Amino acid sequence: MKKILKVTGLIVLLFIAIIAGAGIYVKTALPDVADATDIRIEQTPENVERGRYMANHVAVCMDCHSRRDWSLFSGPLAQGGFGGGGEIFDRNMGFPGVFYARNITPAALKDWTDGEILRAMTAGVRKNGEALFPVMPYQHYGHMDIEDAYAIIAYIRTLTPVKNELPVREIDFPVSLLINTMPADPSFQQRPPESDRIRYGRYLVNAASCVDCHSRQEKGQIVPGSEFGGGMEFRMPAGIVRTPNITPHMGNGIGSWTRSAFVQRFKMYLDSNYHSPVYTAADLNSPMPWTMYAGMSESDLEAIYDYLRTLPVIDNEVVRYEKIPAN
């Protein structure tokens, strides 16, 4: 009996040692991505302008990395603090901890090389080797054309410096370990020609990270099989807002939408006659940054529509707004 207990004890100790060793490896040896490249990106007018377009209207980097005015529809960017970060992604939204969009103005990135910014943006590893949680969509940016990534970096180098110290993130266990397994080296692709509408639309949809919001998520990860079918929940003081189904389902998606109606849904927010109603904490607002995407060219929006029409149809009826009565 003593021999059995002794063997059992040794097995338990061995198991604990293996688990501890694996934890130490994940914590110290990962993330395993390539070192930052030694590059210096040219800040030509063309490069900066392309970066401005991508960062503000396609990849909408500035949406998360700026303050939003939630007193207006869809929380357009507030005055001041542009690029200074601060948007919070927390447990109320289903994330495994509390994460803050960082300051990406020169005030915070002045000591970063272009290669270090590129690695963070497209591989998910900060200057200090810290793994980024993929609420920062580096997995999508790592599949862009590298020239578009360069352009975004050229543009953010021109931002007005904003001093904004942000809290340290909080990561729940075991994600605090698993986060180190998430970064991956980028796999850049060449931007397809605009004439190839489906492939070009797919490129834009990837750059805009549409799938991240228009899918159901658990612990900050997309539920397989729900891609583009909507249902991600955004918890607000007044209740829950869920993202719509954007697959071509005729009843529950955008199957009945014309290309023109799709484009106009975005462009209406650039119309000088449009005036947003005032929102309060008692209202359910839209987290979709309509006013930023509205700056996309009509041709690009049409390409996105054409690509979305090719997606597998998902029959998912989403209850968009669910008010929760105040206690």
Side-chain angles (χ1 to χ4, degrees):
M1 187 65 176
K2 288 182 179 179
K3 185 179 291 186
I4 293 173
L5 291 173
K6 185 176 181 180
V7 171
T8 301
L10 288 173
I11 292 173
V12 170
L13 288 174
L14 179 61
F15 179 76
I16 292 173
I18 291 172
I19 295 298
I24 292 171
Y25 173 78
V26 169
K27 197 69 177 176
T28 59
L30 299 179
D32 183 19
V33 300
D35 293 338
T37 52
D38 183 15
I39 56 171
R40 189 172 182 83
I41 297 168
E42 289 188 84
Q43 286 183 295
T44 63
E46 296 78 15
N47 224 13
V48 171
E49 187 53 38
R50 175 65 182 175
R52 184 191 313 278
Y53 178 71
M54 292 296 294
N56 287 289
H57 304 301
V58 181
V60 292
C61 314
M62 309 315 296
D63 165 51
C64 288
H65 292 282
S66 303
R67 294 185 302 107
R68 295 173 70 177
D69 181 0
W70 290 106
S71 70
L72 300 175
F73 177 71
S74 86
L77 299 189
Q79 295 295 316
F82 190 63
E87 185 163 353
I88 300 173
F89 302 86
D90 60 16
R91 299 176 184 92
N92 290 330
M93 298 171 64
F95 289 95
V98 183
F99 303 87
Y100 301 87
R102 311 314 296 185
N103 184 342
I104 59 170
T105 72
L109 297 181
K110 62 181 182 298
D111 295 329
W112 290 52
T113 67
D114 288 345
E116 288 167 343
I117 297 175
L118 180 71
R119 184 175 69 158
M121 176 182 165
T122 63
V125 178
R126 287 172 55 83
K127 176 184 176 72
N128 63 1
E130 178 182 270
L132 294 172
F133 188 73
V135 65
M136 161 64 184
Y138 56 80
Q139 69 275 37
H140 295 295
Y141 298 158
H143 285 86
M144 291 197 310
D145 191 314
I146 195 169
E147 294 299 327
D148 274 344
Y150 286 170
I152 291 173
I153 295 169
Y155 167 64
I156 64 174
R157 290 290 200 193
T158 71
L159 296 176
T160 300
V162 175
K163 291 184 178 180
N164 185 25
E165 294 294 329
L166 295 164
V168 176
R169 66 186 182 178
E170 302 171 16
I171 313 177
D172 298 338
F173 181 83
V175 177
S176 55
L177 288 179
L178 297 176
I179 191 172
N180 284 356
T181 69
M182 297 176 184
D185 287 316
S187 179
F188 297 113
Q189 61 173 291
Q190 189 172 22
R191 186 169 75 238
E194 293 188 29
S195 58
D196 189 339
R197 304 305 286 167
I198 304 301
R199 286 182 58 234
Y200 182 62
R202 181 179 182 178
Y203 177 84
L204 295 171
V205 165
N206 170 74
S209 310
C210 304
V211 70
D212 287 353
C213 287
H214 290 278
S215 308
R216 289 191 295 112
Q217 292 212 13
E218 292 180 0
K219 298 294 185 182
Q221 299 293 310
I222 292 174
V223 176
S226 73
E227 291 86 349
F228 299 101
M232 181 177 178
E233 296 188 348
F234 290 84
R235 295 182 180 272
M236 298 185 174
I240 299 172
V241 178
R242 298 181 182 87
T243 55
N245 182 343
I246 57 172
T247 72
H249 188 275
M250 289 300 294
N252 298 323
I254 62 169
S256 63
W257 289 43
T258 64
R259 184 184 290 108
S260 176
F262 181 84
V263 172
Q264 182 55 31
R265 182 67 175 87
F266 289 84
K267 286 300 182 180
M268 64 181 287
Y269 301 108
L270 283 186
D271 190 326
S272 60
N273 293 319
Y274 172 76
H275 296 286
S276 171
V278 175
Y279 281 76
T280 71
D283 300 311
L284 290 176
N285 206 334
S286 172
M288 170 81 164
W290 287 104
T291 54
M292 298 195 74
Y293 287 131
M296 214 183 305
S297 71
E298 289 194 12
S299 178
D300 282 2
L301 287 168
E302 288 172 350
I304 287 175
Y305 171 86
D306 291 343
Y307 170 68
L308 294 178
R309 297 284 293 187
T310 71
L311 294 174
V313 174
I314 295 179
D315 184 2
N316 181 35
E317 184 177 1
V318 178
V319 177
R320 294 291 315 287
Y321 300 96
E322 182 181 339
K323 274 220 165 189
I324 298 176
N327 293 331

